[in-house]
Amino acid sequence: MRFLLIGCAALLAFISCADRAPRDVIPKEQMPDVLLDVHLADGLLAAMPIDSARAYLEPYYEAIFRKHKTDSTVFRNSITYYTKRPYLMNEFYGAVQQRLEGINEAEQRTLEAQLRVQGQADSARNAWRLDSL
């Protein structure tokens, strides 16, 4: 009986110490999606002139927060919470990096296909000009 009580107490202590995110933190399943959108927006803003970036900064972030049904306070709390748990942030950024690489590869394939079509069109046009001379 004594071992049963000790076992139940240990199990209860183990379960209560589980690392659960507070209510004002973005769930860990959703956090990589939010980080991806934030980094895509940051990259776009970094490519703009400073005046334009300042004008678009707030609307971009508001759109991201609306998309993910959150706000800036919850996002800030989430960043604070997860940076204190680097193993989770590492996991998030691994997922973000994979998705960014996928987006980059898809964009690269699209550009190569467009260049290939343009090159074929230019070759046909040049062949016609050379042949007509």
Side-chain angles (χ1 to χ4, degrees):
M1 182 71 169
R2 191 162 148 202
F3 290 113
L4 181 63
L5 288 174
I6 291 173
C8 288
L11 182 63
L12 183 62
F14 179 72
I15 291 172
S16 67
C17 290
D19 195 18
R20 294 187 190 147
R23 290 180 186 236
D24 63 340
V25 169
I26 298 169
K28 69 180 186 178
E29 296 80 21
Q30 185 184 2
M31 193 65 181
D33 297 332
V34 176
L35 288 172
L36 176 69
D37 288 343
V38 166
H39 286 298
L40 287 173
D42 285 346
L44 185 60
L45 291 168
M48 292 180 180
I50 293 210
D51 294 341
S52 298
R54 285 183 184 150
Y56 287 109
L57 179 71
E58 193 173 321
Y60 279 9
Y61 276 97
E62 286 176 8
I64 291 168
F65 297 146
R66 236 186 349 264
K67 175 182 174 184
H68 295 287
K69 296 176 178 72
T70 189
D71 59 26
S72 61
T73 304
V74 172
F75 179 70
R76 194 173 304 115
N77 291 343
S78 300
I79 292 296
T80 302
Y81 176 80
Y82 288 123
T83 52
K84 292 178 182 175
R85 290 149 183 88
Y87 59 94
L88 287 174
M89 285 300 274
N90 192 26
E91 185 180 311
F92 297 157
Y93 275 104
V96 168
Q97 182 178 1
Q98 285 180 345
R99 291 180 59 192
L100 285 172
E101 287 172 358
I103 291 169
N104 189 28
E105 289 172 5
E107 184 67 24
Q108 189 68 32
R109 284 193 298 271
T110 302
L111 288 174
E112 287 173 358
Q114 289 173 349
L115 287 174
R116 197 174 312 110
V117 169
Q118 183 65 36
Q120 290 171 350
D122 288 346
S123 294
R125 201 172 312 122
N126 287 337
W128 182 77
R129 280 189 201 151
L130 290 175
D131 192 38
S132 66
L133 292 176

